[in-house]
Structures are given as structure tokens and as C-alpha cells.
Amino acid sequence: QVQLVESGGGSVQTGDSLRLSCAASGRNLSGFTMAWFRQAPGKERELVGTITWSAGRTFYADFAKGRFTISRDKIQKAMLYLQMNDLKPEDTAVYYCAARPYGTYDFGTWGQGTQVTVVS
């Protein structure tokens, strides 16, 4: 069983940067794909991007390309990161990390989320 806990959210101004963290525990993450999602008020949850834990291969939604970077630290501790640059008010949302084993389609493990608010 994997447990995920996000941190690093807050209120920032347009153009600022923010790095979110997700601490993973419970089992070895080799064989998992990790992801960041976000959900803005009144909108459906959307995928920000994914990373394979072992190889570090990444995928980004179009809105995230060039501004957001997903990385992981599997050496020191099991941490997932989302570096967000040039933030815009439309990036305001609750950000979640999630995990799914390779070969499955649904992200079945989720963190509690962390709020990011971008003010103009």
C-alpha cells in the first residue's frame, strides 16, 4: 500500500515559481507511474503530467509543457516534485499526486492535495 502526502502549496503572484513535493511511503515504487493532477474550482480534475519511477520518463499535458517540470528523488528518499514556473491565475487549483502500478490504467492511490493560489 502506497501512501502519498503533498506539501509546498501556497499563495503566490503571477509570474512566480513554486515547487510542490509529494512524499511517498509504504512500499518500493519501482514498477509505478507517478502523476500530478490538479482541480480548479468548478472544474474537473485534469492531468498535469506523469513520470515513471524507475526510468524517469515524463509526459506533460499541453498547458504544462515549458513551464512545469516533474521529477523524483528515488535515491535519498521517495519524493515526487512538481516545479512550476511563470505561474498564472489559471493555475490556481488543488494539486494532487497519484500513483498507479505499471500495466494498469487507473490511478488508485492519491494524496490529500495541496492548494495553489496565483493572484494577479
Side-chain angles (χ1 to χ4, degrees):
Q1 187 82 8
V2 177
Q3 291 86 41
L4 303 172
V5 179
E6 301 95 336
S7 62
S11 182
V12 297
Q13 294 189 329
T14 299
D16 283 353
S17 297
L18 198 62
R19 189 178 81 158
L20 305 183
S21 300
C22 174
S25 61
R27 61 167 293 171
N28 191 310
L29 294 177
S30 297
F32 276 77
T33 295
M34 308 297 291
W36 286 98
F37 287 80
R38 70 183 188 181
Q39 187 166 20
K43 295 187 177 181
E44 293 189 353
R45 186 162 53 194
E46 62 179 347
L47 177 69
V48 175
T50 64
I51 186 168
T52 58
W53 189 262
S54 293
R57 286 191 297 269
T58 54
F59 166 84
Y60 296 96
D62 286 344
F63 70 83
K65 292 177 181 177
R67 295 193 300 128
F68 292 5
T69 303
I70 297 174
S71 62
R72 86 272 189 252
D73 179 351
K74 62 175 186 175
I75 303 300
Q76 297 292 332
K77 47 189 173 181
M79 295 291 292
L80 179 71
Y81 300 104
L82 176 64
Q83 176 69 41
M84 303 184 291
N85 299 326
D86 190 24
L87 284 162
K88 308 174 188 300
E90 52 264 41
D91 295 318
T92 295
V94 177
Y95 285 73
Y96 300 89
C97 63
R100 66 171 171 83
Y102 293 159
T104 64
Y105 294 99
D106 294 327
F107 286 89
T109 301
W110 295 82
Q112 83 288 353
T114 186
Q115 175 71 46
V116 172
T117 302
V118 185
V119 298
S120 57

